[in-house]
Coordinates of all heavy atoms in Angstrom, one line a residue:
M1 N -3.0 -7.0 34.4 CA -3.0 -6.1 33.4 C -4.4 -5.7 33.0 O -4.7 -4.5 32.5 CB -2.3 -6.7 32.1 CG -2.0 -5.9 31.0 SD -0.9 -4.5 31.5 CE -0.6 -3.7 30.1
Q2 N -5.3 -6.5 33.0 CA -6.7 -6.1 32.6 C -7.3 -5.2 33.5 O -8.0 -4.4 33.1 CB -7.5 -7.5 32.5 CG -9.0 -7.3 32.0 CD -9.0 -6.9 30.5 OE1 -8.0 -7.1 29.8 NE2 -10.2 -6.4 30.1
F3 N -6.8 -5.3 34.7 CA -7.4 -4.4 35.8 C -6.8 -3.0 35.5 O -7.7 -2.0 35.6 CB -6.8 -4.9 37.3 CG -7.3 -4.0 38.4 CD1 -8.5 -4.1 38.9 CD2 -6.3 -3.1 38.9 CE1 -8.9 -3.2 39.9 CE2 -6.7 -2.3 39.9 CZ -8.1 -2.4 40.4
L4 N -5.6 -2.8 35.2 CA -5.1 -1.5 34.9 C -5.8 -0.9 33.7 O -6.0 0.4 33.5 CB -3.6 -1.5 34.7 CG -2.8 -1.6 36.0 CD1 -1.4 -1.8 35.8 CD2 -3.1 -0.5 36.9
L5 N -6.0 -1.7 32.6 CA -6.8 -1.2 31.5 C -8.2 -0.8 31.8 O -8.7 0.2 31.3 CB -6.8 -2.3 30.4 CG -5.4 -2.6 29.6 CD1 -5.5 -3.7 28.7 CD2 -4.9 -1.2 29.0
K6 N -8.8 -1.4 32.7 CA -10.1 -1.2 33.0 C -10.3 0.1 33.8 O -11.2 0.9 33.6 CB -10.8 -2.3 33.8 CG -12.3 -2.2 34.0 CD -12.8 -3.4 34.6 CE -14.4 -3.1 34.9 NZ -14.9 -4.4 35.6
Y7 N -9.4 0.2 34.7 CA -9.4 1.5 35.7 C -8.2 2.4 35.4 O -7.6 2.9 36.2 CB -9.3 1.0 37.1 CG -10.5 0.1 37.4 CD1 -10.5 -1.2 37.7 CD2 -11.8 0.8 37.7 CE1 -11.6 -1.9 38.0 CE2 -12.9 0.1 38.0 CZ -12.8 -1.3 38.1 OH -14.0 -2.1 38.5
R8 N -7.9 2.7 34.1 CA -6.7 3.4 33.8 C -6.8 4.8 34.3 O -5.9 5.4 34.8 CB -6.5 3.3 32.4 CG -5.3 4.1 31.9 CD -5.1 4.1 30.4 NE -6.2 4.8 29.7 CZ -6.3 5.4 28.5 NH1 -5.2 5.1 27.7 NH2 -7.3 6.0 28.1
T9 N -8.0 5.4 34.2 CA -8.1 6.8 34.6 C -8.0 6.9 36.0 O -7.2 7.9 36.5 CB -9.5 7.3 34.1 OG1 -9.7 7.1 32.7 CG2 -9.7 8.8 34.5
Q10 N -8.6 6.0 36.8 CA -8.4 6.1 38.3 C -7.1 5.9 38.7 O -6.6 6.4 39.6 CB -9.4 5.1 38.8 CG -10.9 5.5 38.8 CD -11.4 5.0 37.4 OE1 -10.8 4.5 36.6 NE2 -12.8 5.1 37.3
A11 N -6.4 4.9 38.0 CA -5.0 4.7 38.4 C -4.0 5.8 38.0 O -3.2 6.2 39.0 CB -4.4 3.5 37.6
L12 N -4.2 6.5 36.9 CA -3.4 7.8 36.7 C -3.8 8.9 37.6 O -2.9 9.6 38.1 CB -3.7 8.2 35.2 CG -3.2 7.3 34.0 CD1 -3.6 7.7 32.7 CD2 -1.7 7.3 34.3
L13 N -5.0 9.0 38.0 CA -5.4 10.1 39.0 C -4.8 9.7 40.4 O -4.3 10.7 41.1 CB -6.9 10.2 39.2 CG -7.4 11.2 40.2 CD1 -7.0 12.6 39.7 CD2 -9.0 11.0 40.3
L14 N -4.7 8.5 40.7 CA -4.1 8.1 42.0 C -2.6 8.4 41.9 O -1.9 8.8 42.9 CB -4.4 6.6 42.3 CG -3.8 6.1 43.6 CD1 -4.3 6.8 44.8 CD2 -4.0 4.6 43.7
L15 N -2.0 8.0 40.8 CA -0.6 8.3 40.6 C -0.3 9.9 40.6 O 0.6 10.2 41.3 CB -0.1 7.9 39.3 CG 1.4 8.0 38.9 CD1 2.2 7.2 39.8 CD2 1.6 7.6 37.5
A16 N -1.1 10.7 40.1 CA -1.0 12.1 40.1 C -1.1 12.6 41.6 O -0.3 13.6 42.0 CB -2.0 12.6 39.1
L17 N -2.1 12.1 42.3 CA -2.1 12.5 43.7 C -1.0 12.0 44.6 O -0.5 12.8 45.4 CB -3.5 12.0 44.2 CG -4.7 12.6 43.9 CD1 -5.9 11.8 44.3 CD2 -4.8 14.0 44.2
L18 N -0.4 10.9 44.4 CA 0.7 10.5 45.0 C 1.9 11.3 44.8 O 2.8 11.7 45.7 CB 1.0 9.0 44.8 CG 0.0 8.0 45.3 CD1 0.3 6.5 44.9 CD2 -0.1 8.1 46.8
V19 N 2.1 11.6 43.4 CA 3.2 12.5 43.0 C 3.1 13.9 43.6 O 4.1 14.5 44.2 CB 3.3 12.6 41.6 CG1 4.3 13.7 41.0 CG2 3.7 11.2 40.9
S20 N 1.9 14.4 43.6 CA 1.7 15.8 44.2 C 1.9 15.8 45.7 O 2.4 16.6 46.3 CB 0.2 16.3 43.9 OG -0.8 15.6 44.4
F21 N 1.4 14.7 46.5 CA 1.7 14.5 47.8 C 3.3 14.5 48.2 O 3.7 15.1 49.1 CB 1.0 13.4 48.4 CG 1.2 13.0 49.9 CD1 0.6 13.9 50.7 CD2 2.0 12.1 50.4 CE1 0.8 13.8 52.1 CE2 2.1 11.9 51.7 CZ 1.6 12.8 52.5
G22 N 3.9 13.7 47.3 CA 5.4 13.6 47.4 C 6.1 14.9 47.4 O 7.1 15.2 48.0
V23 N 5.8 15.7 46.3 CA 6.3 16.9 46.0 C 5.9 17.8 47.3 O 6.9 18.7 47.7 CB 5.7 17.5 44.8 CG1 6.1 19.1 44.6 CG2 6.4 16.8 43.6
S24 N 4.7 17.9 47.8 CA 4.5 18.7 48.8 C 5.2 18.3 50.1 O 5.5 19.2 50.9 CB 2.9 18.8 49.2 OG 2.5 17.5 49.6
Q25 N 5.5 17.1 50.3 CA 6.4 16.7 51.5 C 7.7 17.1 51.3 O 8.4 17.3 52.2 CB 6.2 15.1 51.7 CG 4.8 14.8 52.2 CD 4.4 15.4 53.5 OE1 5.1 15.4 54.4 NE2 3.1 15.8 53.6
A26 N 8.3 17.1 50.1 CA 9.6 17.3 49.8 C 9.8 18.9 49.5 O 11.0 19.3 49.1 CB 10.1 16.5 48.7
S27 N 8.9 19.7 49.6 CA 9.0 21.1 49.2 C 9.9 21.9 50.1 O 10.4 22.9 49.7 CB 7.5 21.7 49.3 OG 7.1 21.8 50.5
D28 N 10.2 21.5 51.3 CA 11.1 22.2 52.1 C 12.6 22.0 51.5 O 13.5 22.7 51.8 CB 11.1 21.6 53.5 CG 9.8 22.0 54.2 OD1 9.2 23.0 53.8 OD2 9.4 21.3 55.2
N29 N 12.7 21.0 50.9 CA 14.1 20.6 50.4 C 14.4 20.9 48.9 O 15.5 20.8 48.4 CB 14.4 19.0 50.4 CG 14.3 18.5 51.9 OD1 14.7 19.2 52.8 ND2 13.9 17.3 52.1
I30 N 13.3 21.5 48.3 CA 13.3 21.8 46.9 C 13.7 23.5 46.9 O 13.1 24.2 47.5 CB 12.1 21.6 46.1 CG1 11.8 20.1 46.1 CG2 12.0 22.1 44.7 CD1 10.5 19.7 45.6
D31 N 14.4 23.9 45.9 CA 14.9 25.2 45.7 C 13.6 25.9 45.4 O 12.7 25.5 44.8 CB 15.8 25.3 44.6 CG 16.4 26.7 44.4 OD1 16.5 27.4 45.3 OD2 16.6 27.1 43.1
A32 N 13.5 27.2 45.8 CA 12.4 28.0 45.6 C 12.0 28.3 44.2 O 10.9 28.3 43.8 CB 12.4 29.4 46.4
Y33 N 13.1 28.5 43.3 CA 13.0 28.7 42.0 C 12.3 27.5 41.3 O 11.3 27.5 40.5 CB 14.2 29.0 41.3 CG 14.1 29.1 39.7 CD1 13.5 30.3 39.2 CD2 14.6 28.1 39.0 CE1 13.5 30.4 37.9 CE2 14.5 28.3 37.6 CZ 14.0 29.4 37.1 OH 13.9 29.5 35.7
V34 N 12.8 26.2 41.6 CA 12.4 25.1 41.0 C 10.8 24.7 41.5 O 10.1 24.4 40.7 CB 13.2 23.8 41.4 CG1 12.6 22.6 40.9 CG2 14.5 24.0 40.9
L35 N 10.5 25.0 42.8 CA 9.2 24.9 43.3 C 8.2 25.8 42.5 O 7.0 25.4 42.2 CB 9.2 25.2 44.8 CG 7.9 24.7 45.5 CD1 7.6 23.4 45.3 CD2 8.0 25.1 47.0
Q36 N 8.6 27.1 42.3 CA 7.8 28.1 41.6 C 7.5 27.6 40.2 O 6.4 27.8 39.7 CB 8.3 29.5 41.6 CG 7.7 30.5 41.0 CD 6.5 30.9 41.7 OE1 6.5 30.8 43.0 NE2 5.5 31.6 41.1
I37 N 8.6 27.1 39.5 CA 8.4 26.6 38.1 C 7.5 25.3 38.2 O 6.5 25.2 37.2 CB 9.7 26.1 37.5 CG1 10.7 27.4 37.4 CG2 9.6 25.4 36.3 CD1 10.2 28.5 36.4
M38 N 7.6 24.5 39.1 CA 6.7 23.3 39.2 C 5.2 23.8 39.5 O 4.4 23.2 38.9 CB 7.2 22.4 40.3 CG 8.5 21.6 40.0 SD 9.3 20.8 41.2 CE 8.0 19.8 41.9
L39 N 5.1 24.8 40.3 CA 3.8 25.3 40.5 C 3.1 26.0 39.3 O 1.9 25.6 39.0 CB 3.8 26.4 41.6 CG 2.7 26.5 42.7 CD1 2.9 25.5 43.7 CD2 2.4 27.8 43.1
I40 N 3.8 26.7 38.6 CA 3.3 27.4 37.4 C 3.0 26.2 36.3 O 2.0 26.2 35.6 CB 4.3 28.4 36.7 CG1 4.3 29.5 37.8 CG2 3.9 28.8 35.4 CD1 5.4 30.5 37.4
A41 N 3.8 25.2 36.2 CA 3.7 24.1 35.3 C 2.5 23.4 35.6 O 1.6 23.0 34.8 CB 4.9 23.1 35.2
G42 N 2.1 23.1 36.8 CA 1.0 22.5 37.3 C -0.3 23.2 37.0 O -1.3 22.7 36.6
I43 N -0.3 24.6 37.3 CA -1.5 25.4 36.9 C -1.7 25.3 35.4 O -2.9 25.2 34.9 CB -1.3 26.8 37.5 CG1 -1.2 26.9 39.0 CG2 -2.2 27.7 36.9 CD1 -0.8 28.1 39.6
N44 N -0.6 25.4 34.6 CA -0.8 25.5 33.1 C -1.4 24.0 32.7 O -2.1 24.0 31.8 CB 0.5 25.8 32.5 CG 0.8 27.2 32.5 OD1 -0.2 28.2 32.5 ND2 2.0 27.7 32.7
I45 N -0.9 23.0 33.2 CA -1.4 21.6 32.9 C -2.9 21.6 33.2 O -3.7 21.0 32.4 CB -0.6 20.6 33.6 CG1 0.8 20.4 33.1 CG2 -1.4 19.2 33.6 CD1 1.8 19.6 33.9
I46 N -3.3 22.0 34.4 CA -4.7 22.1 34.7 C -5.5 22.9 33.7 O -6.6 22.4 33.3 CB -5.0 22.6 36.2 CG1 -4.4 21.6 37.1 CG2 -6.4 22.8 36.5 CD1 -4.4 22.1 38.5
L47 N -5.0 24.1 33.3 CA -5.8 24.8 32.3 C -5.8 24.1 31.0 O -6.7 24.2 30.2 CB -5.1 26.2 32.2 CG -5.2 27.2 33.5 CD1 -4.3 28.4 33.3 CD2 -6.6 27.5 33.6
A48 N -4.7 23.6 30.6 CA -4.6 22.9 29.2 C -5.6 21.7 29.2 O -6.3 21.6 28.2 CB -3.2 22.5 29.0
V49 N -5.7 20.9 30.3 CA -6.6 19.8 30.3 C -8.0 20.3 30.3 O -8.8 19.7 29.6 CB -6.2 18.9 31.5 CG1 -7.4 17.9 31.7 CG2 -4.9 18.1 31.3
S50 N -8.3 21.3 31.0 CA -9.7 21.9 31.1 C -10.0 22.4 29.7 O -11.2 22.3 29.3 CB -9.9 22.8 32.2 OG -9.2 24.0 32.0
L51 N -9.1 23.1 29.1 CA -9.4 23.7 27.7 C -9.5 22.6 26.7 O -10.5 22.6 25.8 CB -8.4 24.7 27.4 CG -8.5 25.4 26.1 CD1 -9.8 26.4 26.5 CD2 -7.3 26.2 25.8
N52 N -8.9 21.4 26.9 CA -9.0 20.4 25.9 C -10.3 19.8 26.1 O -11.0 19.3 25.2 CB -7.9 19.3 26.2 CG -8.0 18.1 25.1 OD1 -8.3 18.4 24.0 ND2 -7.6 17.0 25.7
L53 N -10.8 19.7 27.4 CA -12.1 19.0 27.6 C -13.2 19.9 27.1 O -14.1 19.3 26.4 CB -12.3 19.0 29.2 CG -13.7 18.4 29.6 CD1 -13.6 16.9 29.2 CD2 -13.8 18.5 31.1
V54 N -13.2 21.1 27.2 CA -14.2 22.1 26.7 C -14.2 22.0 25.1 O -15.1 21.8 24.3 CB -14.2 23.5 27.2 CG1 -15.0 24.5 26.5 CG2 -14.4 23.4 28.7
N55 N -13.0 22.4 24.5 CA -12.9 22.6 23.0 C -12.8 21.1 22.4 O -13.5 21.0 21.3 CB -11.6 23.3 22.7 CG -11.8 24.7 23.0 OD1 -12.8 25.2 23.4 ND2 -10.7 25.4 23.0
G56 N -12.1 20.2 22.9 CA -11.9 19.0 22.2 C -13.0 18.0 22.2 O -13.6 17.5 21.2
H57 N -13.5 17.7 23.5 CA -14.5 16.6 23.7 C -16.0 17.2 23.4 O -16.8 16.5 22.8 CB -14.4 16.0 25.0 CG -13.1 15.3 25.1 ND1 -13.0 14.0 24.6 CD2 -12.1 15.6 25.8 CE1 -11.7 13.6 24.8 NE2 -11.2 14.4 25.7
T58 N -16.3 18.4 23.8 CA -17.6 18.9 23.6 C -17.7 19.8 22.4 O -18.9 20.0 22.0 CB -18.0 19.7 24.9 OG1 -17.2 20.9 24.9 CG2 -18.0 19.0 26.1
G59 N -16.7 20.3 21.8 CA -16.7 21.1 20.5 C -17.2 22.4 20.7 O -17.6 23.2 19.8
Q60 N -17.2 22.9 22.0 CA -17.7 24.2 22.3 C -16.4 25.1 22.3 O -15.3 24.7 22.8 CB -18.5 24.3 23.7 CG -19.7 23.5 23.6 CD -20.3 23.5 25.1 OE1 -19.7 24.0 26.0 NE2 -21.4 22.9 25.2
F61 N -16.6 26.4 21.9 CA -15.6 27.4 22.1 C -15.9 28.3 23.1 O -16.9 28.9 23.2 CB -15.3 28.2 20.7 CG -14.3 29.3 20.8 CD1 -12.9 28.8 20.9 CD2 -14.6 30.6 21.0 CE1 -11.9 29.8 21.0 CE2 -13.6 31.5 21.0 CZ -12.3 31.1 21.0
S62 N -14.9 28.5 24.1 CA -15.2 29.3 25.3 C -14.1 30.2 25.5 O -12.8 29.8 25.4 CB -15.4 28.5 26.6 OG -15.5 29.1 27.7
L63 N -14.3 31.4 25.9 CA -13.3 32.4 26.2 C -13.2 32.5 27.8 O -12.5 33.3 28.4 CB -13.6 33.7 25.6 CG -13.6 33.8 24.1 CD1 -13.9 35.2 23.7 CD2 -12.0 33.6 23.7
G64 N -13.9 31.7 28.5 CA -13.8 31.7 29.9 C -12.5 31.5 30.5 O -12.1 32.0 31.5
H65 N -11.7 30.7 29.9 CA -10.3 30.3 30.4 C -9.5 31.6 30.3 O -8.7 31.9 31.2 CB -9.7 29.1 29.6 CG -10.2 27.9 29.8 ND1 -11.5 27.4 29.3 CD2 -9.9 26.9 30.7 CE1 -11.7 26.4 29.6 NE2 -10.8 25.9 30.6
A66 N -9.5 32.3 29.3 CA -8.7 33.5 29.0 C -9.3 34.5 30.0 O -8.4 35.3 30.6 CB -8.9 34.0 27.5
G67 N -10.6 34.6 30.2 CA -11.0 35.6 31.3 C -10.5 35.3 32.6 O -10.1 36.2 33.3
F68 N -10.5 34.1 33.1 CA -10.1 33.6 34.4 C -8.6 34.0 34.5 O -8.2 34.5 35.5 CB -10.4 32.3 34.7 CG -11.8 31.9 35.1 CD1 -12.5 31.1 34.4 CD2 -12.4 32.6 36.1 CE1 -13.8 30.8 34.7 CE2 -13.6 32.4 36.6 CZ -14.5 31.4 35.8
M69 N -7.8 33.8 33.5 CA -6.3 34.0 33.6 C -6.2 35.4 33.6 O -5.2 36.0 34.2 CB -5.7 33.4 32.4 CG -5.6 31.9 32.5 SD -5.0 31.1 31.1 CE -3.3 31.6 31.2
G70 N -7.0 36.2 32.8 CA -6.8 37.7 32.9 C -7.1 38.3 34.2 O -6.5 39.3 34.7
V71 N -8.3 37.8 34.8 CA -8.5 38.3 36.0 C -7.5 38.0 37.2 O -7.3 38.8 37.9 CB -10.0 37.8 36.5 CG1 -10.3 38.1 38.0 CG2 -11.1 38.4 35.6
A72 N -7.0 36.7 36.9 CA -6.0 36.4 38.0 C -4.6 37.2 37.8 O -4.1 37.7 38.8 CB -5.7 34.8 37.9
L73 N -4.4 37.5 36.6 CA -3.2 38.3 36.3 C -3.4 39.7 36.9 O -2.6 40.3 37.5 CB -2.8 38.3 34.9 CG -1.7 39.2 34.5 CD1 -0.4 38.6 35.0 CD2 -1.6 39.2 32.9
T74 N -4.5 40.3 36.6 CA -4.9 41.6 37.0 C -4.8 41.8 38.5 O -4.4 42.7 39.0 CB -6.3 42.0 36.5 OG1 -6.2 41.9 35.0 CG2 -6.5 43.4 36.9
W75 N -5.3 40.7 39.2 CA -5.4 40.7 40.7 C -4.0 40.6 41.2 O -3.6 41.1 42.3 CB -6.3 39.6 41.1 CG -6.5 39.5 42.6 CD1 -7.3 40.3 43.4 CD2 -5.8 38.7 43.5 NE1 -7.1 39.9 44.7 CE2 -6.1 38.9 44.7 CE3 -4.7 37.7 43.2 CZ2 -5.6 38.3 45.8 CZ3 -4.3 37.0 44.3 CH2 -4.7 37.3 45.6
R76 N -3.2 39.7 40.6 CA -2.0 39.3 41.1 C -0.8 40.3 41.0 O 0.1 40.5 41.8 CB -1.4 38.0 40.4 CG -0.1 37.5 40.7 CD -0.1 36.7 42.0 NE 1.1 35.9 42.1 CZ 2.2 36.4 42.8 NH1 2.1 37.5 43.3 NH2 3.2 35.6 42.9
L77 N -0.8 41.0 39.9 CA 0.2 41.9 39.6 C 0.5 43.1 40.6 O 1.7 43.4 41.0 CB 0.1 42.6 38.3 CG 0.6 41.8 37.0 CD1 0.4 42.5 35.7 CD2 2.1 41.4 37.2
P78 N -0.6 43.7 41.2 CA -0.2 44.8 42.1 C 0.3 44.2 43.4 O 1.2 44.8 44.1 CB -1.6 45.4 42.4 CG -2.4 45.1 41.3 CD -1.9 43.8 40.6
F79 N 0.0 43.0 43.9 CA 0.6 42.3 44.9 C 2.0 42.0 44.7 O 2.8 42.1 45.7 CB -0.2 41.1 45.4 CG -1.6 41.3 46.0 CD1 -2.7 41.3 45.2 CD2 -1.7 41.8 47.3 CE1 -3.9 41.5 45.8 CE2 -2.9 42.0 47.7 CZ -4.0 41.9 47.0
R80 N 2.2 41.6 43.6 CA 3.7 41.2 43.2 C 4.6 42.4 43.3 O 5.8 42.4 43.7 CB 3.7 40.4 41.8 CG 5.1 40.0 41.5 CD 5.2 39.2 40.3 NE 6.5 38.8 40.0 CZ 7.0 37.5 40.2 NH1 6.2 36.7 40.7 NH2 8.3 37.3 39.9
W81 N 4.1 43.5 42.7 CA 4.9 44.7 42.7 C 5.2 45.2 44.1 O 6.2 45.8 44.5 CB 4.1 45.8 41.9 CG 4.2 45.6 40.3 CD1 5.1 44.8 39.7 CD2 3.3 45.9 39.4 NE1 4.8 44.8 38.4 CE2 3.7 45.5 38.2 CE3 2.2 46.7 39.5 CZ2 2.9 45.7 37.0 CZ3 1.4 47.0 38.4 CH2 1.8 46.5 37.1
R82 N 4.2 45.1 44.9 CA 4.3 45.7 46.2 C 5.1 44.8 47.2 O 6.0 45.2 48.0 CB 2.9 45.8 46.7 CG 2.9 46.3 48.3 CD 2.1 47.5 48.6 NE 2.2 47.7 50.0 CZ 2.2 49.0 50.5 NH1 2.1 50.0 49.5 NH2 2.2 49.3 51.6
W83 N 4.8 43.5 47.2 CA 5.4 42.6 48.2 C 6.3 41.5 47.6 O 6.9 40.8 48.3 CB 4.4 41.8 48.9 CG 3.6 42.8 49.8 CD1 4.1 43.4 51.0 CD2 2.2 43.1 49.7 NE1 3.0 44.1 51.5 CE2 1.9 44.0 50.8 CE3 1.3 42.8 48.8 CZ2 0.7 44.5 51.0 CZ3 0.0 43.3 49.1 CH2 -0.3 44.2 50.1
G84 N 6.5 41.6 46.3 CA 7.4 40.6 45.6 C 6.7 39.3 45.3 O 5.5 39.2 45.6
P85 N 7.5 38.2 45.0 CA 6.8 37.0 44.6 C 6.2 36.3 45.9 O 6.8 36.4 47.1 CB 8.0 36.1 44.2 CG 9.0 37.1 43.8 CD 8.9 38.3 44.6
L86 N 5.1 35.7 45.8 CA 4.5 35.1 46.9 C 5.0 33.7 47.2 O 5.3 32.9 46.3 CB 2.9 35.1 46.8 CG 2.4 36.4 46.8 CD1 0.8 36.4 46.6 CD2 2.5 37.1 48.0

């Protein structure tokens, strides 16, 4: 138990990597809609954690996250309109 408390962050990272590897291996058996929702949720989790790191721990206010999301949306929409969901 002491080992897990000492290396909690590394253990959680390893668990997240194992779960993501399992999902990628099972992606052929997962419905396309559910896989898309899982992908969007994963991206939003990454954005939320990075925003928490910048705003919460360092105390800095940054509009970089909003800028990156806006650029991604601007780049993605024409492709989606032309070829549909990727």
Side-chain angles (χ1 to χ4, degrees):
M1 185 65 176
Q2 186 68 14
F3 178 77
L4 285 178
L5 289 176
K6 186 175 180 183
Y7 297 105
R8 182 180 65 159
T9 305
Q10 289 87 352
L12 289 174
L13 179 62
L14 181 62
L15 178 67
L17 287 173
L18 290 174
V19 167
S20 65
F21 180 73
V23 167
S24 70
Q25 292 299 316
S27 65
D28 293 336
N29 301 328
I30 297 175
D31 184 34
Y33 175 75
V34 174
L35 191 61
Q36 183 74 19
I37 296 296
M38 289 169 50
L39 215 88
I40 292 171
I43 291 170
N44 285 327
I45 288 170
I46 291 170
L47 287 172
V49 168
S50 64
L51 189 62
N52 183 34
L53 180 67
V54 171
N55 288 346
H57 292 289
T58 63
Q60 300 174 354
F61 180 71
S62 172
L63 293 175
H65 290 81
F68 281 124
M69 289 175 65
V71 167
L73 178 68
T74 304
W75 181 84
R76 174 84 164 92
L77 279 178
F79 288 101
R80 184 174 177 105
W81 287 333
R82 173 131 181 143
W83 293 291
L86 295 178

